[in-house]
Amino acid sequence: MAALGWLTPRKRSATARSVLAGEAAAEAGLKSSQEIDGVGTAPAGTAEPVVPDFPVIGDARAAAFFDLDNTVMQGAAIFHFGRGLYKRKFFQRRELARFAWQQAWFRLAGVEDPQHMQDARDSALSIVKGHRVSELMSIGEEIYDEYMADRIWPGTRTLAQAHLDAGQQVWLVTAAPVETATIIARRLGLTGALGTVAESIDGVYTGKLVGEPLHGPAKAEAVRALAAAEDFDLARCAAYSDSHNDIPMLSLVGHPYAINPDSKLRKHAKDREWRLRDYRTGRKAAKVGIPAAAGVGALAGGTAAAVALHRRRR
């Protein structure tokens, strides 16, 4: 059972590493947003006719911050990225099975435990170590088209577009690698992305992080740092997330939204009269807590996905 130690929940409080991760994410995000500006355009689609009572048109000191996994996109970006790297023979079936088990855990527990998230990042870091940043960015573009483009929630996409139409900046804030998040932001026509920053020297990944994964308190620190740099008034800003782990970020702004919320965030949002949006089907929304039987199915599904992918490769 020692090999499955990463399944054991562990608590982690905000630390100086959270601040470092947040500041690094803000710095990387600002640099990447300069590249995004004027490059990406919003894709045509069949977005739901959502008309939010916010934002305020012309309020340039307001901005919107969107979590990525299960808020903007169905599933975890790092898992989809892992599938793409496996297809390109960056790693073997054993590592793919680990990705599948980690993804199954997120679905089983219905939460994003910081230690589990870090284990997923560690797996990804070991895979990309020694590769050039430019190489992964190029591959990331292909992976977005293969696995992510069709998983964007139309309702959340419409909310983001409402902020853009109002003349406001819109940022992804995610534990996914900043390079992956930047690609998604560009493809969606957003301002930029704040994500986990992997250390690189002379354009080559070292296999280490700057600070820690951009998760929980680190997300709030990244938003705080970006707001200071861009002169945003957080009381006039909005934030959107599906996870109770993002309550620190949601609590920073004057307009917090719970999108496809897990059970803890749903309760927290209702207690504080935060706005809620659920773009899942009724059947999926009913499984926010995921009963034991459904959890077993999710676990089996994750393993089956790994096996199926391996068979297709053969």
Side-chain angles (χ1 to χ4, degrees):
M1 295 298 293
L4 297 181
W6 59 272
L7 286 172
T8 305
R10 307 173 197 173
K11 294 183 178 179
R12 174 180 294 178
S13 59
T15 65
R17 292 177 64 83
S18 297
V19 177
L20 176 60
E23 292 177 347
E27 181 179 355
L30 286 169
K31 289 181 180 177
S32 65
S33 70
Q34 295 173 1
E35 300 174 359
I36 290 176
D37 188 27
V39 176
T41 57
T46 56
E48 299 175 15
V50 178
V51 182
D53 52 3
F54 180 80
V56 177
I57 295 176
D59 187 359
R61 292 198 65 204
F65 306 98
F66 284 80
D67 169 56
L68 177 58
D69 296 348
N70 293 321
T71 301
V72 171
M73 182 177 66
Q74 300 175 48
I78 191 66
F79 176 68
H80 300 313
F81 188 64
R83 290 175 64 193
L85 292 182
Y86 174 76
K87 178 181 178 180
R88 291 159 177 81
K89 299 182 180 180
F90 269 67
F91 56 92
Q92 303 302 315
R93 182 175 62 170
R94 181 175 62 180
E95 286 80 13
L96 179 67
R98 181 176 176 82
F99 270 107
W101 275 90
Q102 289 169 335
Q103 175 77 347
W105 166 260
F106 299 148
R107 295 175 60 189
L108 173 67
V111 297
E112 299 172 350
D113 182 82
Q115 186 60 45
H116 302 158
M117 298 293 287
Q118 180 162 350
D119 286 338
R121 307 302 165 232
D122 289 344
S123 297
L125 286 168
S126 66
I127 291 167
V128 303
K129 181 180 179 180
H131 288 274
R132 298 197 66 81
V133 175
S134 58
E135 176 190 9
L136 270 295
M137 287 291 287
S138 177
I139 292 174
E141 296 280 358
E142 299 173 2
I143 292 175
Y144 176 84
D145 290 329
E146 293 171 1
Y147 298 113
M148 302 180 187
D150 293 336
R151 296 178 178 274
I152 303 300
W153 290 108
T156 312
R157 180 68 190 88
T158 299
L159 290 171
Q161 189 61 47
H163 288 279
L164 293 170
D165 291 343
Q168 296 173 1
Q169 294 188 25
V170 177
W171 292 78
L172 292 181
V173 188
T174 173
V178 67
E179 293 84 3
T180 301
T182 297
I183 290 169
I184 297 171
R186 181 170 64 246
R187 291 300 192 91
L188 296 179
L190 308 183
T191 308
L194 307 178
T196 297
V197 179
E199 181 184 77
S200 63
I201 298 177
D202 296 329
V204 177
Y205 289 113
T206 66
K208 300 178 181 179
L209 291 182
V210 178
E212 63 183 10
L214 199 70
H215 185 267
K219 282 189 177 182
E221 294 299 334
V223 169
R224 200 190 310 274
L226 182 66
E230 295 290 282
D231 194 29
F232 297 142
D233 181 352
L234 288 172
R236 289 143 69 175
C237 292
Y240 302 79
S241 179
D242 72 298
S243 174
H244 72 278
N245 289 302
D246 287 339
I247 288 175
M249 177 180 75
L250 293 169
S251 299
L252 274 182
V253 301
H255 300 273
Y257 281 78
I259 305 293
N260 306 327
D262 61 33
S263 57
K264 291 184 179 180
L265 178 58
R266 182 179 292 274
K267 182 180 185 304
H268 189 90
K270 286 184 176 180
D271 289 345
R272 286 155 182 77
E273 298 184 347
W274 290 357
R275 298 175 180 84
L276 290 99
R277 298 282 189 278
D278 203 324
Y279 300 119
R280 299 165 294 191
T281 64
R283 181 171 176 269
K284 288 182 179 178
K287 293 184 179 179
V288 172
I290 305 187
V296 173
L299 197 61
T303 304
V307 173
L309 282 170
H310 176 64
R311 286 176 178 171
R312 284 203 292 272
R313 290 300 303 165
R314 295 182 61 183

